[in-house]
Amino acid sequence: MILLIETVARRYVCRQHDVDHIGVATQADHDERGRRIIRHHLGPLLDPADPPASGRLHALTITLRRRVVELLALRVDLLAEAPVIRPLAPFLAARLQLPWANGVALLDDQPVVALDLRRLAADVALGLRLAHIEDAL
């Protein structure tokens, strides 16, 4: 199953099994097992020109060993028909600054980036990639 994720300015797809829970964003700082919850708006994380969404947000929750990451988006839908996701060409994948994109799908004749949300969440939890992004801005 494939999820369609919408931010304020962009659309992305990801595999449903990369996400442990989809729901309304929580306000808690820790989950029921005491793990810290790290929250980030997905739009600005992937594209600094994509403003943070407001209002009722959907949270894509990825549970890691020691932390829980909630990626916030304006809208999340399960696609009735899974699009064909084409892997990125090796020369393109090797040039990505951050390895969070793993392919491209066509939706309504528009290319949509396929994300590896588990890898993105792991990097967010480690804080390594965010520091790299902030340095580049």
Side-chain angles (χ1 to χ4, degrees):
M1 301 295 241
I2 302 294
L3 297 174
L4 175 63
I5 305 163
E6 295 182 20
T7 64
V8 172
R10 307 234 184 271
R11 298 186 313 164
Y12 302 95
V13 293
C14 77
R15 298 174 306 216
Q16 183 180 10
H17 72 274
D18 281 353
V19 178
D20 296 310
H21 180 73
I22 301 168
V24 178
T26 65
Q27 298 300 317
D29 291 330
H30 294 85
D31 73 353
E32 66 280 350
R33 293 182 52 199
R35 292 176 291 201
R36 183 171 162 230
I37 297 174
I38 301 168
R39 241 174 245 96
H40 279 284
H41 287 267
L42 189 60
L45 185 62
L46 297 169
D47 178 2
D50 194 349
S54 61
R56 183 178 168 147
L57 301 177
H58 290 82
L60 298 152
T61 304
I62 296 103
T63 304
L64 304 170
R65 179 183 283 172
R66 294 192 176 124
R67 292 181 181 88
V68 175
V69 176
E70 283 187 356
L71 300 170
L72 306 177
L74 195 56
R75 183 175 174 164
V76 178
D77 289 316
L78 183 62
L79 294 175
E81 286 189 39
V84 174
I85 297 176
R86 306 270 185 216
L88 295 177
F91 73 91
L92 182 58
R95 286 173 174 69
L96 289 178
Q97 190 173 28
L98 300 166
W100 300 337
N102 57 15
V104 176
L106 277 179
L107 292 177
D108 304 323
D109 294 325
Q110 296 286 325
V112 178
V113 174
L115 298 173
D116 181 344
L117 286 188
R118 285 235 165 251
R119 185 159 190 177
L120 190 152
D123 286 349
V124 166
L126 290 173
L128 300 176
R129 302 295 186 185
L130 291 178
H132 179 70
I133 290 171
E134 290 167 1
D135 290 343
L137 297 177

